[in-house]
């Protein structure tokens, strides 16, 4: 009978090894560029597939094989792939993780590719600060794929019903208008703040930078210290908290609510205003909401006067990983994605401002009123990149959130919250320079 | 020849264990050793070339980390709060469903729906229900006149934790019920008949007969339920992400954040070792319970 | 044991039994509500879901299902999920029952130690060991293959199955075994011909457990799989989650489709299920 057991085990092993060879089989074709796209909505896929078709026609020897990876799990997936060396050839890169990925050393340095590239002068880079967006330690490691300004998006119909004739130009007007639009019993708020979330801090960084003479445009001072860790930063945080706790013009929302929930509230008319990039209007447009856009409000806040116009640029890039075996082909694909004709398809599909400035001259964009604040910001040079440093993702997704949530809860004073946040950034900077 | 036979005989149990042990050692051993190893290093994915031996520094950091203290508190509340409520509700349901009611098979079948649905899906659904502006729960409570403004259940530390526990209890108590039903149905009816002849009331036979007989099952399912709850990350991650602040952060979510957001290798390793130690303690309790009841 | 203890309904007045029923019905509704809600939402338009999330659909949009099926390549994902579930559940149950047999019914050195080691596997949250596990799978050349999903799933499934089976095997009287031994049956013969047939309830209970776990596993395929041809259902359903919005109607339609096989499996094994989950806490 023991024999039977041994026979059984042996047959199991045989079956397992046979099935494994079957399951392990992986098809391979000569030159295929693998590409991860985090733009996964149906119309975005269609746009990408259209571009791939165009590209493959122009480059008969190369095939592009896209994988759709939604943003949320994309980060974990990229990190796991980086540690195991199973990254694709090329990928869309989220701005939040740019600094981390660059520090991990997984990007192919693009300097030599760009040197002979006919489009290099047409690609949008920060007009005032050529650097942090796509550079790491003096090298270009990514290229911007999409551009978009942080702007005020409002519900025209709700404005009309509340008797508000034009979008607010100052922060004072903003609060007054938001109060008019708020009706807590119906669950309707003037402002969809998304203050609990990781992304809720982007408009806050804008309001600080507007009022802060010390800031070198965003998180850091020219000497590299944290620009908002000072009385002006504390006051701006107080304003942010007051909008929720004192003026009550914004909902508390759920702690995990992110941009998606902010868009949801706006498109279901539960909030009348939000700060986002033009791309964020997609779901509201699909829901039939009549949308107006305006530049961010300005003017004094709590007696502190505005020192500059300011808006951030949502940062979605495209890059090549240095583990790629087909770098040359991958570069062909990346540079194709940034060519004017491809950018027209891409940017109009995802409702963003194109990264190629030749494409930006296309009437599709010029005549789009939703993009007007973006043209204004680029023309008047007040569009800045979100700061990148190794660990920025942890600060943005974890610590900024903890700081903001504790401030909104009233557990920490605005000053404590800002200090905690700034210290976490300092820790990262220290770690990075070690 | 005889002794060879004896050796072969002694080896029989190990033959039976071989496939399971083999695959568990093959798959699990490396990640555990890897975590233990890195828990003694200062290493991060952000600095691929940097790896310094720091002894017990990561463990010392845990003692100093205020979030770890919050995690400890929250993990205990989340785990044992859920498990006790699941026990209570599961037992009540089992007692009711153990009656000879027409259609009880159907009801019993339906009850497990909450458990069949993926945890992530259930969490998303509860997110809609609990939502401040869109949620059904606020609608109902306002119609009943119990609240006057919409309340954001997950926006306040206390109600957030309570909501999370309710969701978890909702999800797992039907399973507890099934386990109790299994136990109830294997109690010999003779015992109840004897008690009845002795003039015991329904309550008495429950208190002095059913309850003591169910005690071992309770202990076991409580420990198992605690392990499942302590390990489960989906509900918390989707509903609160450990927030507001860190008020609903548990070890599992914190270790996950430390690994995938902070990209450190040593510290989350240390946290996971702590977690495994805590859970092994539960496992040992479980084994003691099993042994006590069987041998 | 056929005659089970129960309060007889005739002994009670109608009000009590009515209230028990009411209680049960309310409870059942609470428990199955999400499934109903999901199924109803899957028949709405996106806009309707946002504007009145908890109402009955105005128009039943069956086309959502066709659209969802097509767009996330549900057929391929279904095939892969079935392969992964079957490929991991059967070994889980077989290996666990093999291992549970000596642990429950034999005395040998290292028994407790081995049991603890086997159970610790149940303690480790996958999230915490994901990075080393991914490195391991890479070294075994299992990334992007179904086998790379199946092996970790087997390792993950064995401990709980073992716990249930050890408990059940312990309840089987030793006398049966002795009788078989006198008849000259080997250990494996006893296991195969006596213990396993007697343990059908426990085996089917663990089978359902593991089908559920493997069917719903998300994180592991997320990290291991990147080709569409080997995607499993939880991953394929992600197709409807964008950065800015979720296409809820399709997502719900796909999820409803995904749950149906589990529900069928559950109802097939349901009777056995209840009897199998004694966890060895009972000694008759």
């Amino acid at each position: 009978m023991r024999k039977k057991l041994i026979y059984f085990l042996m047959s199991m092993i045989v079956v397992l090894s046979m099935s494994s060879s079957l399951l392990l089989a992986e098809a391979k074709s000569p030159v295929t560029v693998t590409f991860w796209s985090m733009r996964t909505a149906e119309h975005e896929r269609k746009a990408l597939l259209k571009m791939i078709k165009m590209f493959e026609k122009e480059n008969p020897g190369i095939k592009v094989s896209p994988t759709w990876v939604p943003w949320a799990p994309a980060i974990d997936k990229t990190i796991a792939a980086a540690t195991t060396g199973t990254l694709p050839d090329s990928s869309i890169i989220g701005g939040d993780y740019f600094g981390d990925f660059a520090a991990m050393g997984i990007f192919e340095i693009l300097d030599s590719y760009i040197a002979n590239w006919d489009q290099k002068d047409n690609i949008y880079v920060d007009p005032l600060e050529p650097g942090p967006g796509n550079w790491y330690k003096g090298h270009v490691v990514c290229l911007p794929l999409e551009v978009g300004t942080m702007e005020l998006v409002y519900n025209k119909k709700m404005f009309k019903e509340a008797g508000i004739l034009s979008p607010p130009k100052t922060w004072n007007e903003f609060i007054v208008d938001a109060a008019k639009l708020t009706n807590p019993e119906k669950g309707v708020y003037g402002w969809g703040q998304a203050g609990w979330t990781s992304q809720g801090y982007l408009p806050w960084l804008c309001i600080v930078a507007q009022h802060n003479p010390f800031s070198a445009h965003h998180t850091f001072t020219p000497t590299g210290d944290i620009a908002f860790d000072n009385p002006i930063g504390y006051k701006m945080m107080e304003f942010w908290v007051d909008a929720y706790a004192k003026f009550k013009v914004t909902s508390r929302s759920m702690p995990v609510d992110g941009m998606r929930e902010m868009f949801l509230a706006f498109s279901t008319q539960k909030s009348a205003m939000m700060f986002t990039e033009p791309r964020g209007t997609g779901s509201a447009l699909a829901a039939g909401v009549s949308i107006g856009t305006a530049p961010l409000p300005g003017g004094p806040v709590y007696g502190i006067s505005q020192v500059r116009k300011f808006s951030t640029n949502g940062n979605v890039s495209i890059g090549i990983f240095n583990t790629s075996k087909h770098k040359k082909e991958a570069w062909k694909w990346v540079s194709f994605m940034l060519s004017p004709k491809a950018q027209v398809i891409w940017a109009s599909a995802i409702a963003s401002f194109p990264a190629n400035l030749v494409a930006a001259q296309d009437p599709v964009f010029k005549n789009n009123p939703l993009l007007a604040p973006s043209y204004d910001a680029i023309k008047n040079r007040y569009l800045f990149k979100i700061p990148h440093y190794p660990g920025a993702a942890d600060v943005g997704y974890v610590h900024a959130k903890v700081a903001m949530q504790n401030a909104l809860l009233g557990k920490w004073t605005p000053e404590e919250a800002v200090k905690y946040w700034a210290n976490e950034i300092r820790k990262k900077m220290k770690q990075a320079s070690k | 020849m005889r002794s060879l036979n004896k050796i072969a005989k002694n080896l029989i149990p190990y033959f039976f264990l071989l496939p399971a042990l083999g695959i568990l050692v093959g798959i699990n051993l490396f990640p555990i050793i890897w975590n233990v190893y890195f828990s003694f290093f200062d290493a991060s994915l952000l600095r691929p070339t940097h790896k310094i031996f720091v002894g017990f520094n990561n463990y010392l950091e845990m003692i100093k980390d205020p979030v770890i203290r919050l995690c400890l508190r929250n993990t205990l509340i989340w785990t044992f709060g859920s498990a006790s409520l699941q026990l209570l509700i599961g037992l009540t349901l089992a007692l009711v469903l153990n009656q000879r009611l027409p259609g009880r098979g159907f009801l019993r079948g339906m009850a497990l729906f909450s458990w069949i649905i993926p945890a992530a899906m259930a969490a998303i659904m509860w997110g809609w229900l609990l939502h401040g502006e869109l949620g059904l729960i606020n609608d109902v409570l306002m119609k009943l006149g119990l609240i006057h403004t919409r309340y954001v259940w997950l926006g306040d530390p206390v109600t957030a934790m309570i909501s999370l526990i309710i969701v978890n209890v909702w999800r797992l108590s039907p399973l507890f019920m099934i386990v109790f039903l299994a136990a109830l149905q294997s109690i010999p009816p003779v015992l109840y008949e004897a008690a009845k002849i002795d003039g015991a009331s329904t309550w008495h036979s429950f208190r002095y007969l059913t309850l003591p007989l169910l005690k071992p099952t309770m202990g076991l399912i409580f420990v198992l339920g605690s392990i499942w709850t302590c390990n489960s990350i989906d509900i918390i991650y989707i509903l609160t992400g450990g927030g507001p602040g860190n008020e609903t952060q548990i070890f599992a979510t914190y270790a996950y954040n430390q690994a995938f957001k902070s990209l450190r290798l040593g510290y989350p390793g240390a946290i996971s070792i702590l977690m495994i130690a805590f859970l092994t303690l539960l496992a040992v309790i479980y084994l003691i319970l099993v042994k006590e009841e069987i041998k | 044991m056929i005659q089970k203890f129960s309060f007889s309904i005739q002994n009670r007045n109608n009000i009590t039994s009515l209230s028990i029923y009411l209680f049960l019905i309310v409870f059942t509704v609470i428990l199955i509500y999400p499934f109903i809600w999901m199924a109803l939402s899957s028949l709405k338009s996106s806009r309707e879901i946002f504007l009145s999330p908890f109402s009955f659909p105005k128009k039943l949009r069956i086309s959502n299902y066709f659209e969802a099926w097509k767009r996330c390549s549900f057929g391929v994902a279904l095939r892969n999920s079935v392969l992964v579930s079957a490929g991991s559940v059967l070994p889980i149950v077989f290996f666990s029952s093999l291992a549970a047999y000596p642990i429950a019914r034999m005395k040998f050195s290292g028994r407790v130690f081995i049991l603890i080691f086997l159970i610790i596997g149940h303690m480790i949250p996958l999230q915490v060991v994901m990075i080393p596990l991914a490195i391991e799978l890479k070294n075994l050349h299992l990334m992007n293959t179904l086998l790379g999903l199946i092996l970790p799933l087997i390792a993950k499934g064995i401990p709980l199955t073992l716990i249930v089976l050890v408990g059940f095997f312990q309840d089987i009287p030793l006398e049966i075994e002795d009788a078989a031994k006198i008849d000259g049956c080997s250990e494996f013969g006893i296991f195969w011909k006596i213990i396993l047939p007697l343990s059908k309830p426990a085996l089917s209970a663990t089978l359902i457990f593991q089908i559920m776990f493997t069917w719903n596993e998300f994180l592991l395929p997320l990290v291991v799989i990147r080709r569409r041809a080997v995607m499993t259902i939880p991953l394929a359903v992600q197709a409807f989650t964008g950065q800015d919005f979720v296409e809820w109607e399709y997502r719900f339609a796909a999820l409803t489709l995904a749950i149906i096989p589990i529900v069928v499996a559950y109802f097939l094994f349901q009777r056995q299920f209840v009897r199998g989950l004694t966890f060895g806490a009972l000694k008759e």
Side-chain angles (χ1 to χ4, degrees):
Chain A
M1 264 325 196
R2 210 167 305 136
K3 260 186 192 162
K4 210 168 173 183
L5 171 64
I6 292 163
Y7 284 145
F8 185 81
L9 283 176
M10 275 172 64
S11 60
M12 278 303 285
I13 290 166
V14 171
V15 167
L16 265 178
S17 55
M18 267 168 61
S19 57
S20 69
S21 63
L22 192 81
L23 295 169
L24 280 167
E26 201 177 332
K28 271 175 194 155
S29 53
V31 183
T32 302
V33 174
T34 49
F35 178 67
W36 285 3
S37 171
M38 287 73 185
R39 296 271 177 241
T40 55
E42 184 66 356
H43 61 282
E44 294 165 350
R45 289 176 188 225
K46 272 189 187 146
L48 187 69
L49 291 176
K50 193 173 157 192
M51 289 159 71
I52 289 176
K53 226 177 220 170
M54 281 168 65
F55 174 76
E56 286 175 352
K57 213 170 167 190
E58 278 176 30
N59 302 276
I62 311 171
K63 288 229 171 308
V64 175
S65 153
T67 301
W68 314 107
V69 189
W71 279 116
I75 310 306
D76 300 358
K77 207 177 159 79
T78 310
I79 292 164
T83 53
T84 56
T86 50
L87 285 164
D89 296 314
S90 170
S91 174
I92 293 180
I93 309 292
D96 300 331
Y97 272 83
F98 173 83
D100 290 22
F101 290 164
M104 284 165 78
I106 59 177
F107 288 133
E108 172 77 356
I109 292 169
L110 299 178
D111 296 358
S112 58
Y113 298 83
I114 289 170
N116 310 315
W117 185 32
D118 59 344
Q119 293 295 322
K120 73 175 166 193
D121 297 324
N122 297 336
I123 298 303
Y124 171 82
V125 281
D126 244 358
L128 295 179
E129 201 174 3
N134 308 295
W135 268 255
Y136 187 74
K137 293 198 170 160
H139 301 289
V140 180
V141 290
C142 270
L143 288 164
L145 182 64
E146 300 157 13
V147 179
T149 349
M150 185 64 66
E151 57 191 37
L152 174 69
V153 176
Y154 62 95
N155 184 324
K156 276 186 176 165
K157 193 173 134 240
M158 287 170 86
F159 264 54
K160 211 171 163 190
E161 280 165 8
I164 304 166
L165 300 173
S166 63
K169 290 204 174 52
T170 66
W171 291 105
N172 270 340
E173 282 173 34
F174 173 73
I175 293 291
V176 172
D177 288 351
K180 280 186 204 159
L181 293 156
T182 299
N183 182 351
E185 253 151 62
K186 284 195 178 152
V188 175
Y189 289 90
W191 178 21
Q193 186 188 38
W196 296 100
T197 70
S198 48
Q199 292 104 333
Y201 67 87
L202 287 178
W204 184 78
L205 283 179
C206 292
I207 192 178
V208 178
Q210 276 183 350
H211 295 85
N212 187 359
F214 309 112
S215 116
H217 320 309
H218 40 61
T219 310
F220 301 106
T221 63
T223 55
D225 197 22
I226 313 300
F228 54 74
D229 189 10
N230 53 41
I232 294 170
Y234 311 149
K235 268 284 169 213
M236 295 305 144
M237 182 58 93
E238 197 182 324
F239 176 72
W240 222 245
V241 174
D242 282 351
Y244 162 70
K246 201 163 133 198
F247 308 129
K248 299 192 192 312
V249 297
T250 182
S251 155
R252 175 173 242 173
S253 81
M254 322 280 255
V256 280
D257 277 5
M259 297 304 243
R260 223 186 268 152
E261 287 73 16
M262 188 175 90
F263 300 145
L264 180 61
F266 186 80
S267 52
T268 51
Q269 319 219 13
K270 296 287 182 191
S271 73
M273 291 187 275
M274 61 174 178
F275 298 116
T276 179
E277 296 157 32
R279 191 171 42 71
T281 56
S283 53
L285 285 173
V289 177
S290 61
I291 291 168
T293 56
L296 294 181
V301 174
Y302 287 162
I304 299 166
S305 48
Q306 188 182 352
V307 293
R308 66 165 75 80
K309 276 187 141 191
F310 187 93
S311 186
T312 59
N313 167 18
N315 225 302
V316 173
S317 309
I318 182 169
I320 299 171
F321 295 117
N322 55 17
T323 45
S324 162
K325 288 197 182 83
H326 310 292
K327 286 173 190 150
K328 232 169 74 195
E329 290 80 5
W331 167 251
K332 272 195 175 155
W333 165 243
V334 168
S335 53
F336 173 82
M337 282 282 276
L338 292 169
S339 66
K341 58 176 185 277
Q343 274 288 309
V344 170
I345 299 172
W346 186 245
S348 54
I350 58 174
S352 145
F353 193 87
N356 189 311
L357 294 173
V358 175
Q361 299 308 314
D362 195 283
V364 182
F365 308 111
K366 280 247 159 180
N367 300 336
N368 184 349
L370 295 180
L371 294 178
S374 297
Y375 278 101
D376 187 56
I378 289 171
K379 194 174 147 214
N380 294 313
R381 298 157 71 82
Y382 61 85
L383 183 59
F384 303 94
K385 299 227 164 178
I386 300 159
H388 294 302
Y389 47 90
D394 188 34
V395 171
Y397 281 92
V398 179
H399 299 297
K401 202 173 85 179
V402 167
M404 283 243 168
Q405 292 188 352
N406 275 316
L408 287 169
L409 271 182
K411 275 192 93 143
W412 293 351
T413 63
E415 188 176 339
E416 281 168 350
V418 171
K419 283 211 156 115
Y420 168 83
W421 184 349
N423 279 334
E424 289 298 329
I425 300 178
R426 286 194 190 104
K427 269 193 225 162
K428 300 285 177 200
M429 302 309 287
K430 216 172 117 190
Q431 262 174 20
S433 64
K434 235 196 263 177
Chain B
M1 211 49 210
R2 185 158 280 236
S3 66
L4 209 68
N5 235 342
K6 206 176 168 193
I7 291 170
K9 204 166 182 192
N10 283 340
L11 282 177
I12 288 176
Y14 303 101
F15 273 119
F16 277 95
L17 285 164
L18 200 65
L21 267 180
I23 204 156
L24 273 163
V25 171
I27 297 291
N28 282 349
L29 203 63
F30 174 76
I32 295 178
I33 291 174
W34 194 89
N35 267 349
V36 173
Y37 174 78
F38 270 101
S39 75
F40 295 107
F41 284 89
D42 176 24
S44 157
L45 289 175
L46 293 180
R47 283 166 293 155
T49 50
H50 169 99
K51 194 174 105 187
I52 299 172
F53 181 76
V54 290
F56 283 92
N57 266 10
N58 284 321
Y59 293 91
L60 290 176
E61 189 183 337
M62 271 201 300
I63 297 169
K64 282 187 230 147
D65 187 347
V67 183
I68 285 284
R69 253 165 280 154
L70 275 176
C71 285
L72 182 64
R73 185 197 73 185
N74 296 335
T75 306
L76 290 176
I77 295 176
W78 158 250
T79 306
F80 296 120
S82 300
S84 343
L85 274 175
Q86 278 154 4
L87 197 76
L88 203 70
I89 292 173
L91 182 59
T92 315
L93 276 177
L95 287 171
V96 174
L97 273 185
N98 195 37
Q99 326 234 344
R100 195 171 293 154
L101 300 168
R104 84 173 169 183
F106 175 76
L107 290 174
R108 201 172 57 197
M110 285 297 157
L112 269 174
F113 254 91
S114 65
W115 178 70
I116 293 177
I117 292 177
M121 180 57 227
I124 288 168
M125 195 277 311
W126 277 92
W128 279 83
L129 286 174
L130 289 163
H131 198 276
E133 281 82 54
L134 300 169
L136 184 68
I137 289 173
N138 275 342
D139 281 350
V140 171
L141 290 178
M142 277 178 74
K143 281 224 173 84
L144 292 174
L146 291 173
I147 53 171
H148 299 292
T149 47
R150 283 160 186 280
Y151 189 73
V152 182
W153 300 98
L154 298 176
D156 173 87
V158 176
T159 54
M161 187 46 104
I162 293 173
S163 307
L164 289 174
I165 290 178
I166 287 175
V167 175
N168 194 38
V169 168
W170 167 87
R171 188 171 143 69
L172 283 183
S173 42
L175 190 65
F176 278 52
M177 174 198 82
I178 296 288
V179 174
F180 280 123
L181 264 182
L184 280 174
Q185 293 185 0
S186 46
I187 297 175
V190 192
L191 293 178
Y192 288 101
E193 279 153 28
K196 218 173 185 181
I197 291 164
D198 291 346
S201 68
T202 313
W203 165 249
H204 263 85
S205 56
F206 171 72
R207 172 69 187 79
Y208 296 103
L209 196 60
T210 315
L211 220 51
L213 282 170
L214 284 184
K215 230 168 123 193
T217 312
M218 283 187 200
L220 295 177
I221 191 71
F222 185 83
V223 174
L224 272 181
S226 305
I227 294 171
W228 292 332
T229 303
C230 187
N231 263 343
S232 73
I233 176 170
D234 294 9
I235 291 174
I236 294 190
Y237 216 80
I238 289 170
L239 284 178
T240 67
N246 279 316
E247 300 294 323
T248 58
Q249 199 79 261
I250 61 168
F251 283 124
T253 54
Y254 191 56
Y256 180 73
N257 269 351
Q258 284 293 328
F260 279 97
K261 296 284 182 283
S262 186
L263 303 185
R264 295 176 66 180
L265 297 176
Y267 195 47
I271 298 173
S272 63
I273 298 304
L274 182 78
M275 258 188 88
I276 292 172
F278 175 72
L279 287 166
T280 309
L281 193 73
L282 282 180
V284 169
I285 296 173
Y286 168 80
L287 284 176
I288 291 170
L289 284 172
V290 174
K291 254 200 150 151
E292 223 168 55
E293 295 311 324
I294 301 305
K295 299 295 155 219
Chain C
M1 276 309 292
I2 295 156
Q3 179 94 45
K4 267 155 204 146
F5 164 75
S6 71
F7 301 97
S8 159
I9 197 118
Q10 286 88 348
N11 294 353
R12 296 155 169 273
N13 56 38
N14 285 335
I15 296 174
T16 324
S17 56
L18 203 72
S19 54
I20 287 179
Y21 264 110
L22 210 66
F23 167 77
L24 283 176
I25 288 167
V26 168
F27 218 90
T28 315
V29 168
I30 292 175
L31 288 174
I32 64 171
Y33 181 72
F35 185 73
I36 296 172
W37 178 75
M38 190 170 77
L40 284 180
S41 300
S42 70
L43 295 165
K44 293 178 175 179
S45 71
S46 215
R47 202 173 163 192
E48 207 181 337
I49 293 174
F50 294 149
L51 292 178
S52 45
F54 300 100
S55 70
F56 198 81
K58 283 185 206 113
K59 192 182 133 216
L60 299 180
R61 299 163 68 103
I62 310 282
S63 61
N64 285 351
Y65 279 82
F66 295 108
E67 184 72 19
W69 180 288
K70 201 179 78 197
R71 268 180 48 196
C72 68
S73 316
F74 197 85
V76 179
L78 185 68
R79 185 201 66 199
N80 292 332
S81 274
V82 169
L83 274 177
V84 168
S85 269
S88 48
V89 169
L90 295 177
I92 287 173
V93 174
F94 183 66
F95 293 164
S96 309
S97 54
L98 271 180
Y101 176 63
I103 290 175
R105 305 179 75 87
M106 292 181 193
K107 285 208 168 76
F108 57 94
S109 46
R111 184 174 150 224
V112 174
F113 178 76
I114 288 175
L115 185 55
I116 288 183
F117 178 80
L118 288 173
I119 291 177
I120 281 179
H122 190 47
M123 314 286 164
I124 311 164
L126 198 55
Q127 290 88 350
V128 173
V129 293
M130 206 60 240
I131 289 178
L133 185 62
I135 294 173
E136 186 180 19
L137 290 174
K138 162 78 181 162
N139 291 338
L140 296 170
H141 299 283
L142 290 174
M143 287 301 257
N144 224 357
T145 64
L146 289 181
L147 200 62
L149 290 181
I150 290 172
L151 288 178
L153 283 174
I154 295 177
K156 207 181 162 217
I158 284 176
L160 179 65
T161 313
L162 194 80
I163 291 171
V164 175
L165 290 179
V166 167
F168 200 88
F169 288 178
Q170 278 174 334
D171 284 349
I172 298 171
L174 280 167
E175 296 85 59
I176 298 176
E177 207 171 302
D178 294 341
K181 259 184 198 153
I182 292 165
D183 291 346
C185 218
S186 74
E187 290 287 358
F188 187 75
I190 294 169
F191 166 74
W192 191 250
K193 286 190 188 139
I194 297 171
I195 303 292
L196 280 192
L198 279 174
S199 308
K200 262 187 199 148
L203 292 175
S204 40
T206 52
L207 211 65
I208 300 189
F209 257 87
Q210 295 307 332
I211 290 176
M212 272 229 5
F213 289 140
T214 51
W215 195 259
N216 294 334
E217 177 60 43
F218 173 66
L219 188 68
L220 192 67
L222 173 73
V223 171
V224 174
I225 299 297
R226 45 169 226 234
R227 283 183 313 134
R228 199 172 189 143
V230 281
M231 268 187 191
T232 54
I233 290 175
L235 215 56
V237 169
Q238 284 287 313
F240 306 115
T241 313
Q243 183 189 15
D244 304 331
F245 54 90
V246 176
E247 292 171 278
W248 289 103
E249 71 272 41
Y250 301 130
R251 193 181 185 186
F252 287 144
L255 278 168
T256 310
L257 286 174
I259 285 173
I260 289 170
I262 303 269
V263 174
V264 171
Y266 171 67
F267 276 101
L268 281 179
F269 294 106
Q270 202 230 113
R271 289 207 147 267
Q272 307 278 337
F273 188 70
V274 176
R275 288 196 284 140
L277 284 179
T278 56
F279 286 100
L282 306 154
K283 194 80 179 161
E284 284 162 41

